[in-house]
Every structure is written in C-alpha cells, then in structure tokens.
Amino acid sequence: ADMENFYDNLIIINLYVSQTLGGDVLGGAAAWENVDSTDTVCPKCDHRRAYFMQIQTRSADEPMTTFYKCCSAICGNRWKEG
C-alpha cells in the first residue's frame, strides 16, 4: 500500500510539472534565461531552434524529461519530450 501511494504521488507530481511547464515549478521565466539551445523544430511555428532543459520527473531508472521553449520571440511555445 505504501508503494502504491508513492507511485500515485509521483504520477501527480509528474502531471503537475507537465501542466505548469515553464511556470513556477521550473523557476518561471528566469529559468529559461541561462539555458542552452538546440536545433529542433517547434511544433507550433516550425522555428528551427529551441531552448531546452532536462529534469528527472519520473523514477531514477526512467529517462529524463526534456522541456523545450521555442527561441522565436513571437512564438515562445513550450513542449516536452520523454
């Protein structure tokens, strides 16, 4: 029962991080000021560059989740992979 509660809480935390992508959980706008950028296509505007950060949102044996923010000042779309 304790492990079930642990995993339920982990899922809730993961959903919260996903739903607040780029918000206070990830440090707000300031969190994106000093991150690297990479060649990737924004799914919203097709811009070919995005800022990214990786965070462990699941158990340690799972891959990290990569969060992206479009480098286009007009778009600024945010999405995740993993």
Side-chain angles (χ1 to χ4, degrees), residues 36-42 47-52 68 71 79:
D36 291 324
S37 61
T38 188
D39 293 327
T40 190
V41 178
C42 173
H47 189 76
R48 297 188 168 273
R49 195 117 187 116
Y51 302 109
F52 73 97
Y68 295 96
C71 286
W79 70 98

Side-chain angles (χ1 to χ4, degrees), residues 18-72:
S18 298
Q19 291 171 357
T20 57
L21 175 61
D24 292 338
V25 170
L26 298 179
W32 294 100
E33 290 177 0
N34 295 310
V35 297
D36 291 324
S37 61
T38 188
D39 293 327
T40 190
V41 178
C42 173
K44 183 176 180 182
C45 74
D46 292 326
H47 189 76
R48 297 188 168 273
R49 195 117 187 116
Y51 302 109
F52 73 97
M53 65 175 87
Q54 291 185 314
I55 299 175
Q56 189 72 42
T57 59
R58 297 181 299 250
S59 62
D61 63 340
E62 298 283 335
M64 295 180 81
T65 301
T66 303
F67 294 89
Y68 295 96
K69 180 181 176 186
C70 181
C71 286
S72 168

Side-chain angles (χ1 to χ4, degrees), residues 9-19 57-58 80:
N9 288 336
L10 194 59
I11 290 168
I12 291 168
I13 291 168
N14 187 25
L15 288 172
Y16 181 74
V17 169
S18 298
Q19 291 171 357
T57 59
R58 297 181 299 250
K80 71 172 188 160

